[in-house]
Amino acid sequence: MRVFFDIIGCRLNQSEVEKMAGQFRAAGHEVVSSPAEADMVVVNTCAVTSEAASDSRQKIRQAARAGVEKIVVTGCWSTLDPQGAAVLPNVAQVVANAEKDHLVSTVLNQPAEVFELEPLARQPLPGLRARTRAFIKVQDGCDNHCTFCVTRLARGQSQSQPVETVLADIQAALLGGAQEIVLTGVHLGSWGQDLLPARSLRELLKIILEKCRIPRLRLSSLEPWDLEDDFFELWRDPRLCPHLHLPLQSGSAGVLRRMGRNTTPELFAALVAAARTVVPGMAITTDMITGFPGETETEFEESLAFVQQIGFAAGHVFHYSPRPGTPALRFPNQVDPRLSKQRSARLRAAFAVMSDSFRQQFVGQTAQVLWEALRSNGPEGWRLEGLTGNYIRVEAFAPRLMQNEFSQVLLTGLTDGGLAGTILSPTEPETVN
Ligand code: SF4
């Protein structure tokens, strides 16, 4: 059977389908790069915003229009609305998030143990950009109560993967050629708190760095709480990428309170200062929501000023999306969506300025780049694109295709959203920082 995977949403969804793809391959099936080539499509859906839910339905309809007769739907949107998913064309099965780990054995009607015998090399999916990074799910679910969040409803309580499973998944990814491991979770910072005895993310990182020959290790997203005082000491190991994604959501104390976020602007600023003390040049990126119910003009201005005070390297800005089942849906003083969008535009403009100034400080310096994709091929050579450890997208001309290799690069100037560079030399992965 030929199987195509489609995802909407986060890196967790990406990580999950990569694991499923490995299991289908191990069972003798082929993973293909488009629905038109497939006998079966698996769609891993998302519900984080109303747009993501609508995209999820669209992906399913697209697969049906491409002539796929068997569509298996899983993920957050279909877990929250299984009937809505089941009635879409050619949907044969809806697999809830709680059953997702066994999706392949369920679909193939085989015992789950078949896939637990030995680690399967995890390879990039066909059709995606040549991937150098592997997303490893170490945790799922969340015990927090952010009032806007539908993800915690769709993903359930926090559950950590045991250390042995995480190490096996990482080894499988390294076996498949990954040069960078990205740990993902819905609430990654809570890893280990549900295990007996309880453990911490700091412990997990130490074990991974000790036991695995990883060229680069990156953390996907950490809520700005739960981190121990000495957490950033781990970055003394240069394999840990100097990049932290800390979702702030709002820089106004009042809005954060109504959002049910477990932080304040002061605590957030202290956390960033602690990180920068240990790792100067650390890229701090974030997520923001504009137009949360009751957000006044003053609160938005506070938020904007705070974001500028922090000086983020980049940020994703979303306008508030009312989600069924969340407390914020019923909050008074819902903000006109047109105003939310205007505020989003202002915030994005501020992030663009901050991003330029963050990248500008590295012009004239050298950095190690992991080449990820080919942008073009012309008389000047192969134009490659890759990432630095601190998550700056770099473009440079190369004498040959060097995807999934490291180079030492002289950073020469700003591009739209990244930096241009000149390759100085290839680098042994073990020396990467
Ligand atoms: S921390 Fe908040 S936003 Fe993140 S998944 Fe948990 S409830 Fe949702």
Side-chain angles (χ1 to χ4, degrees):
M1 182 166 60
R2 289 162 302 172
V3 189
F4 175 69
F5 289 90
D6 218 343
I7 56 161
I8 298 94
C10 59
R11 289 163 170 190
L12 206 58
N13 275 8
Q14 170 84 31
S15 165
E16 288 164 348
V17 298
E18 282 179 3
K19 197 159 183 176
M20 289 174 203
Q23 294 176 341
F24 272 113
R25 284 187 182 115
H29 301 282
E30 187 188 349
V31 178
V32 294
S33 59
S34 73
E37 302 164 69
D39 305 305
M40 186 177 90
V41 167
V42 178
V43 185
N44 202 0
T45 62
C46 176
V48 70
T49 59
S50 48
E51 285 87 354
S54 152
D55 286 350
S56 300
R57 291 187 287 273
Q58 204 182 340
K59 293 277 189 193
I60 296 164
R61 290 200 183 93
Q62 273 168 4
R65 275 200 300 274
V68 179
E69 286 176 9
K70 183 170 183 180
I71 302 174
V72 177
V73 184
T74 187
C76 291
W77 172 68
S78 57
T79 297
L80 294 169
D81 188 5
Q83 283 89 9
V87 297
L88 289 177
N90 301 358
V91 171
Q93 237 166 320
V94 179
V95 180
N97 274 341
E99 310 299 326
K100 202 189 241 180
D101 284 350
H102 303 302
L103 180 142
V104 180
S105 54
T106 308
V107 167
L108 297 178
N109 209 10
Q110 291 187 3
E113 299 74 48
V114 167
F115 301 108
E116 289 164 9
L117 295 178
E118 56 188 77
L120 308 166
R122 182 191 284 224
Q123 292 157 359
L125 299 182
L128 294 178
R129 294 148 58 89
R131 283 264 324 288
T132 55
R133 287 179 284 160
F135 300 106
I136 303 291
K137 176 169 124 178
V138 304
Q139 184 276 341
D140 203 344
C142 181
D143 298 333
N144 291 294
H145 295 90
C146 301
T147 54
F148 56 83
C149 179
V150 77
T151 305
R152 69 182 189 87
L153 304 177
R155 293 265 177 184
Q157 289 184 324
S158 180
Q159 279 183 312
S160 305
Q161 295 286 342
V163 174
E164 302 70 39
T165 309
V166 174
L167 292 178
D169 277 355
I170 291 175
Q171 295 302 356
L174 296 175
L175 213 61
Q179 296 280 25
E180 183 177 307
I181 298 296
V182 186
L183 301 187
T184 69
V186 173
H187 185 210
L188 182 58
S190 71
W191 181 88
Q193 288 171 14
D194 57 309
L195 296 177
L196 285 174
R199 309 187 79 166
S200 69
L201 180 63
R202 184 175 184 280
E203 257 180 274
L204 178 67
L205 296 177
K206 276 185 82 170
I207 295 171
I208 293 172
L209 289 166
E210 250 169 54
K211 299 212 179 246
C212 304
R213 279 176 62 80
I214 293 181
R216 270 187 185 177
L217 179 61
R218 195 184 292 278
L219 306 182
S220 65
S221 177
L222 286 172
E223 293 298 344
W225 56 87
D226 296 331
L227 304 183
E228 298 148 317
D229 289 347
D230 52 358
F231 186 69
F232 301 117
E233 292 300 319
L234 288 167
W235 269 260
R236 303 228 182 261
D237 187 321
R239 293 174 297 163
L240 207 42
C241 291
H243 171 212
L244 279 179
H245 186 79
L246 304 171
L248 172 64
Q249 310 300 8
S250 172
S252 150
V255 175
L256 284 174
R257 236 183 345 264
R258 295 200 296 280
M259 285 179 163
R261 302 285 288 166
N262 207 358
T263 192
T264 62
E266 291 72 27
L267 287 173
F268 190 94
L271 185 73
V272 170
R276 285 177 172 156
T277 303
V278 180
V279 194
M282 169 92 92
I284 311 276
T285 56
T286 198
D287 297 325
M288 297 291 289
I289 296 173
T290 60
F292 186 76
E295 184 187 62
T296 61
E297 201 54 39
T298 309
E299 286 173 331
F300 172 70
E301 293 295 339
E302 275 169 24
S303 196
L304 180 59
F306 182 73
V307 158
Q308 288 165 323
Q309 175 200 322
I310 293 290
F312 288 101
H316 298 293
V317 181
F318 303 90
H319 55 270
Y320 169 71
S321 184
R323 307 301 296 127
T326 60
L329 183 74
R330 297 186 305 278
F331 282 5
N333 305 319
Q334 298 278 326
V335 175
D336 182 337
R338 284 169 304 182
L339 184 56
S340 304
K341 285 181 187 168
Q342 283 167 16
R343 290 177 181 170
S344 291
R346 287 184 62 197
L347 207 45
R348 282 196 191 103
F351 273 115
V353 172
M354 286 182 276
S355 167
D356 279 358
S357 92
F358 176 75
R359 284 175 283 123
Q360 182 68 49
Q361 65 182 302
F362 299 103
V363 172
Q365 299 186 17
T366 57
Q368 276 148 336
V369 175
L370 175 57
W371 299 114
E372 192 170 71
L374 172 67
R375 289 294 297 261
S376 61
N377 181 18
E380 291 173 273
W382 305 91
R383 191 157 150 254
L384 302 182
E385 184 184 279
L387 282 176
T388 61
N390 61 355
Y391 214 60
I392 298 176
R393 201 154 281 286
V394 175
E395 284 181 29
F397 286 103
R400 60 184 172 83
L401 256 186
M402 297 167 72
Q403 280 154 304
N404 215 18
E405 292 179 33
F406 290 92
S407 298
Q408 193 73 18
V409 176
L410 174 66
L411 303 169
T412 53
L414 289 185
T415 59
D416 188 14
L419 287 174
T422 306
I423 295 177
L424 299 175
S425 68
T427 312
E428 286 304 310
E430 284 77 7
T431 65
V432 162
N433 59 28

